[in-house]
Amino acid sequence: MTQTLQIIELIQREVLPAIGCTEPIAVALAVAKASETLGSVPQKITARLSANIIKNAMGVGIPGTGMVGLPIAIALGATIGKSEYQLEVLRDCTPEAVENGRKMIADGNISVELKPTDEKLYIEIEVQGNGHSAIATIASNHTNFVHIERDGKVLLDKECCPNVAVNSSDIRLNMRMVYDFAMETPLDDIRFILESKQLNDAVSRHSLGEKYGHEVGRAMTLSPELFGETIYAHVVGRTAAAADARMDGCPMAVMSNSGSGNQGIAATMPVVAFADDVHASEEQLIRALTLSHLTAIFIKQNLGRLSALCGCVVASTGSACGITYLMGGTYDNICHAVKNMVATLTGMLCDGAKPSCALKLATGVSTALMCAKLAMNGHFVSSIEGIVDDSVDKSVCNMTSVGRDGMLETDKLVLNIMTNK
């Protein structure tokens, strides 16, 4: 397989539609698979989850339910979930299904436990019913089943690699490779990336006409006396609006990146909004979106699926690259924008998925615009400043080392604070 085909396959695997926050949805996916393996709606469900899964599922709205958190996601996974839908596992949700889910929760047969594990992303679901039992386990990424069994008989058993950041079969990216692919690949081979615009822009526009979450997007776009009718206001507002809706349980699908819908939004909407305002061509938009999404994938290869570092840092760095390109930037300008982002946003912590994530996306996108403009003006953070290195790839590695390794104790403290309020 050629390098180009490897990268196309990687993007298509990492940029996928998702309905709802991917952590509780991944739990619902595992419940659906366990229930299908059991062969009936379970009478008892036990979810054993890693700390990061619990952190990212506690405060987020579950699509189409008007409810928050894991219990309703688990109940719906058991009653109407279909594992074949992957991260759209709950797309058949109805008001009747929600009511049945409420009854299942009220019966007290759903339990959630913290699983002691070094794996950041770990979901083990055990279901029981009609004298039978089944277990389904997801690890390393949101749709990766590593173990399935029924009545003690193992049906699937794959090796689970703790904190895996990049699959051994994946091509290992660097910034030069990302840029060359986005700029040189025949347009028809990457035109599929426009689906990210179609899905995420639809959610953003829908949100601006409704009242989701903290209404961050509406505050930006409906306050011209404060933010003006500017590219800045449009880019930040349209991005935040999509996150407002997604985090508050909007049932519309978004295009995710590396297992995160918010990362998909932050890699897509700033580029789309900027391209609209500067009247970019379709080719420019396709290449900018490809550059943005693939940069995010590159960074996540180093960081891992879940971490203490907010995912909007990763995706906003991608959008900074896409915007710099749309400004007429060269490869060097784009590398400078990445260094500026590393110097500015490293350390923004993840304190779970919830409506206020829209505020963090707004911060990330605001920074992306500033860093792109500074790069185009010839200004960038140098290697004598902080964690930035002369090498753009090393700068990214330094940022991800802080998020992956340096913030481990922060992650534990954040979870402790969240679970003891």
Side-chain angles (χ1 to χ4, degrees):
M1 184 183 296
T2 67
Q3 178 176 294
T4 296
L5 288 177
Q6 284 181 294
I7 296 176
I8 289 173
E9 183 181 271
L10 176 62
I11 296 172
Q12 290 176 331
R13 191 167 65 252
E14 296 290 4
V15 180
L16 295 170
I19 296 177
C21 177
T22 47
E23 277 70 58
I25 293 302
V27 174
L29 174 61
V31 174
K33 176 65 78 172
S35 301
E36 290 163 2
T37 304
L38 183 69
S40 64
V41 175
Q43 296 164 326
K44 182 178 180 181
I45 306 171
T46 303
R48 304 180 183 96
L49 312 174
S50 61
N52 281 75
I53 291 292
I54 292 175
K55 180 181 75 173
N56 282 341
M58 287 175 58
V60 68
I62 306 303
T65 69
M67 299 174 68
V68 169
L70 283 165
I72 188 62
I74 291 171
L76 290 174
T79 55
I80 56 95
K82 290 183 174 63
S83 64
E84 65 191 79
Y85 292 168
Q86 297 284 287
L87 293 180
E88 296 178 277
V89 61
L90 300 185
R91 74 184 187 199
D92 291 340
C93 183
T94 63
E96 181 182 5
V98 174
E99 187 57 35
N100 290 335
R102 289 178 186 273
K103 292 176 181 176
M104 179 178 282
I105 295 169
D107 288 340
N109 293 323
I110 296 174
S111 62
V112 177
E113 302 173 0
L114 175 64
K115 175 75 174 184
T117 176
D118 292 330
E119 177 65 56
K120 296 288 188 182
L121 196 164
Y122 184 89
I123 301 164
E124 178 186 304
I125 303 297
E126 181 177 0
V127 296
Q128 299 173 355
N130 299 323
H132 298 280
S133 65
I135 295 175
T137 303
I138 287 175
S140 300
N141 71 59
H142 295 78
T143 59
N144 182 43
F145 284 96
V146 297
H147 186 87
I148 299 173
E149 67 176 71
R150 187 178 192 273
D151 291 338
K153 181 180 179 180
V154 175
L155 305 177
L156 172 71
D157 193 31
K158 291 164 52 178
E159 182 180 359
C160 175
C161 301
N163 301 320
V164 64
V166 55
N167 294 329
S168 59
S169 61
D170 285 343
I171 185 168
R172 187 76 190 195
L173 299 171
N174 58 55
M175 200 62 221
R176 183 82 237 187
M177 191 185 302
V178 167
Y179 176 82
D180 288 345
F181 175 87
M183 297 301 109
E184 298 173 5
T185 303
L187 211 58
D188 286 344
D189 290 346
I190 53 175
R191 192 178 298 276
F192 66 85
I193 204 68
L194 287 176
E195 189 181 353
S196 66
K197 173 191 175 179
Q198 294 162 2
L199 288 181
N200 294 346
D201 192 32
V203 173
S204 174
R205 293 180 185 279
H206 168 73
S207 178
L208 289 172
E210 303 292 335
K211 294 185 177 182
Y212 284 108
H214 297 295
E215 300 181 38
V216 181
R218 286 169 59 84
M220 290 293 301
T221 56
L222 301 180
S223 304
E225 76 285 356
L226 184 60
F227 300 107
E229 285 290 346
T230 63
I231 293 177
Y232 169 82
H234 297 162
V235 168
V236 178
R238 288 174 65 181
T239 303
D244 282 326
R246 178 175 178 268
M247 292 288 94
D248 202 29
C250 174
M252 297 172 68
V254 302
M255 189 64 81
S256 67
N257 182 299
S258 303
S260 166
N262 276 351
Q263 286 169 192
I265 289 168
T268 303
M269 287 310 304
V271 175
V272 168
F274 190 90
D276 283 350
D277 276 19
V278 301
H279 307 292
S281 68
E282 182 181 69
E283 177 174 356
Q284 289 174 316
L285 175 60
I286 290 171
R287 298 201 182 281
L289 284 172
T290 301
L291 178 61
S292 179
H293 276 282
L294 194 55
T295 299
I297 293 169
F298 160 49
I299 298 173
K300 290 293 284 187
Q301 282 188 334
N302 290 276
L303 182 63
R305 262 334 204 225
L306 298 176
S307 74
L309 183 68
C310 178
C312 83
V313 175
V314 173
S316 295
T317 301
S319 64
C321 296
I323 289 170
T324 303
Y325 160 72
L326 290 173
M327 288 179 174
T330 63
Y331 174 70
D332 285 341
N333 295 135
I334 287 165
C335 290
H336 294 164
V338 172
K339 292 181 181 181
N340 290 342
M341 292 292 285
V342 169
T344 309
L345 285 183
T346 298
M348 181 185 285
L349 63 83
C350 171
D351 56 344
K354 68 282 182 206
S356 61
C357 285
L359 289 164
K360 295 192 176 187
L361 263 71
T363 298
V365 174
S366 299
T367 305
L369 285 165
M370 176 178 65
C371 289
K373 184 59 179 176
L374 287 175
M376 292 301 295
N377 288 347
H379 296 288
F380 61 95
V381 178
S382 70
S383 60
I384 65 171
E385 303 174 72
I387 67 170
V388 172
D389 191 91
D390 286 330
S391 162
V392 66
D393 295 330
K394 181 61 176 174
S395 297
V396 168
C397 286
N398 292 343
M399 176 179 73
T400 56
S401 291
V402 170
R404 185 186 63 245
D405 305 321
M407 296 174 70
L408 287 175
E409 290 304 314
T410 299
D411 213 20
K412 294 176 185 176
L413 177 59
V414 167
L415 181 64
N416 185 58
I417 292 171
M418 291 175 63
T419 55
N420 284 283
K421 288 191 293 183

